[in-house]
Amino acid sequence: MIFLKTEDEIELMRAANQLVAQTLAEVGKHIRPGVTTKELDKVADEFIRDNGAVPTFKGFPNPCGGTPFPASICTSVNEVVVHGVPNDTPLVDGDIVSVDCGTLLNGFNGDSCYTFRVGEVSEEVARLLNVTKQALYEGIAAAQQGKRIGDIGYAVQTLCESNGYGVVREFVGHGIGRKMHEDPQVPNYGSRGNGSMIKSGLCIAIEPMITMGSPKIYMTDDKWTIRTRDGKPAAHFEHTIAVHKGKVEILSSFDEIEKNI
Ligand code: MG
Ligand code: MG
């Protein structure tokens, strides 16, 4: 069941998502060779709580029967696609790290992810990041009132596959509101004119998870970490958006992040 949001609810969603944006920017300031993802998690956790919100990911139940998520952000390095668990391994020059963050503020959720460069990355990795981010914005542009969810996936998939990249099938974007994951699912693949109708008040997270090589993935023994099977890097960018007043509003933001990098 899709819960369409009122203007008042979208206002609360905006606040939760702006806090996510600020948290990602704060984390971004600390990303450099030598820092560990556990240190980044501490930065995020403190920032979210200092701003009166709850980090949604911490203690999130494991859908595969493993232990709940132990941290406040997911940190997915290089060939880790999503749900990387922060650890004590220092980042090194040339790595990429996707930082996915969720906050619960005044009863509503924010959710956004940015893939950061650590120092200098190779040209081919930079291209993967650029295309994945562009795919996110093309997906957002397709999310217009009166169109369908499949139009979003079609836009993301077309751009990424025409660049020779893989589109992960097992994980998708989602409706978002009082719960972090609501209906509808928002795949990063699809065909035009298919899926649920996009109506005013729809709030969704669009989140392309794109691989440099094959889109095949596997889950490691911790029952969280998702890696590419071929060991090639993956990128992940995510915004939460609201469709209302005949427009698409991006509730999260990369502006602060990109000011610092
Ligand atoms: Mg997320
Ligand atoms: Mg999400």
Side-chain angles (χ1 to χ4, degrees), residues 186-200:
V186 184
N188 296 303
Y189 53 91
S191 50
R192 282 189 281 200
N194 271 358
S196 306
M197 173 86 74
I198 298 172
K199 295 182 179 166
S200 190

Side-chain angles (χ1 to χ4, degrees), residues 111 174 205 207 238:
D111 187 9
H174 49 91
E207 47 180 316
E238 175 180 28

Side-chain angles (χ1 to χ4, degrees), residues 6 67 113 122 126 137 142 161 177 206 215 228 231 250:
T6 64
T67 53
C113 178
S122 71
Y137 285 107
E161 290 184 348
I206 301 178
T228 58
I250 304 176

